[in-house]
Amino acid sequence: MSGLTTEDREIILGSIRDIPDFPKPGIIFKDITTLLSDPTAYKRLMDHLADRYSGYELDYIAGIDARGFIFGAALADRLGVGFVPIRKKGKLPYTTVAEKYSLEYGFDEVEIHIDAFGDDGLHCITGKKSRVLLIDDLIATGGTAKAAASLIDKVGAECVECCFILELSFLKAKDDFTVPVYSVLEID
Ligand code: AMP
């Protein structure tokens, strides 16, 4: 597996915009819309993710509402695996399982369809526990991702890794994860 070059890192990081005091005073919001609209940065990022995860024998990628959908769905298509949305409360139409969590600026609840990874989390073709990569744009306190990983477990699948484009590493969120955590870029 080839890693990111220094040039890749500079291009990807340089394409992400800081918005001070959004959504409330004191928060520096990492705006990835400028990464998405930069085809070079977006391609280098997706090439790297596809390269990293091509050997993981994944069955699904689960993306966290809403920016995790963008990276997760694109990666799922590249790897030829299914995509599963983990959504904010009240958005999914079928029977759901829910988990509450706190985030850097408030509280929320996420949900997943009960049969998102097959009945009891067993893959419809292999019959084995589905192997799932969880993805989101950013990890701050880790509350959202922990709740999402717990949902994957609750519906019977295995979360093999949590992947983030950006990690606010000074918050040290990944220290108490029970599954491996990979961040493309860390911000001190
Ligand atoms: P947390 O649960 O604290 O790890 O927060 C992660 C979630 O909140 C992710 O879905 C992020 O998109 C969002 N988020 C938290 N802090 C920021 C930030 N400073 N900039 C952009 N998104 C953030």
Side-chain angles (χ1 to χ4, degrees), residues 22-23 27-32 64-68 88 101-105 136-146 164 166 168 171 173 177:
F22 183 87
I27 303 291
I28 298 176
F29 192 85
K30 296 290 176 183
D31 178 16
I32 53 90
I64 299 177
D65 199 345
R67 291 178 293 273
K88 300 281 168 59
Y101 67 99
S102 57
L103 37 74
E104 202 185 1
Y105 41 81
D136 201 2
D137 65 330
L138 182 141
I139 178 169
T141 66
T144 317
K146 265 191 235 158
F164 306 94
L166 285 174
L168 304 185
L171 293 173
F177 268 70

Side-chain angles (χ1 to χ4, degrees), residues 65-127:
D65 199 345
R67 291 178 293 273
F69 296 172
I70 301 165
F71 301 105
L75 184 58
D77 183 56
R78 283 201 182 202
L79 297 179
V81 301
F83 174 77
V84 168
I86 293 181
R87 298 216 63 183
K88 300 281 168 59
K89 190 176 171 57
K91 300 286 183 184
L92 288 170
Y94 186 56
T95 310
T96 58
V97 175
E99 187 84 23
K100 280 207 170 91
Y101 67 99
S102 57
L103 37 74
E104 202 185 1
Y105 41 81
F107 292 88
D108 224 324
E109 190 166 351
V110 278
E111 291 183 328
I112 195 167
H113 275 149
I114 195 161
D115 60 351
F117 307 112
D119 289 335
D120 299 323
L122 302 179
H123 192 263
C124 59
I125 296 169
T126 65

Side-chain angles (χ1 to χ4, degrees), residues 8-84:
D8 291 336
R9 278 176 201 286
E10 284 171 4
I11 287 173
I12 297 166
L13 197 55
S15 72
I16 297 168
R17 177 165 65 177
D18 282 358
I19 310 287
D21 301 321
F22 183 87
K24 64 182 198 185
I27 303 291
I28 298 176
F29 192 85
K30 296 290 176 183
D31 178 16
I32 53 90
T33 63
T34 42
L35 185 165
L36 299 171
S37 64
D38 176 339
T40 304
Y42 193 26
K43 182 175 187 320
R44 290 206 189 200
L45 173 67
M46 294 313 300
D47 283 349
H48 170 63
L49 293 177
D51 185 40
R52 175 179 176 83
Y53 290 109
S54 60
Y56 272 59
E57 296 182 355
L58 297 171
D59 296 309
Y60 296 93
I61 294 176
I64 299 177
D65 199 345
R67 291 178 293 273
F69 296 172
I70 301 165
F71 301 105
L75 184 58
D77 183 56
R78 283 201 182 202
L79 297 179
V81 301
F83 174 77
V84 168

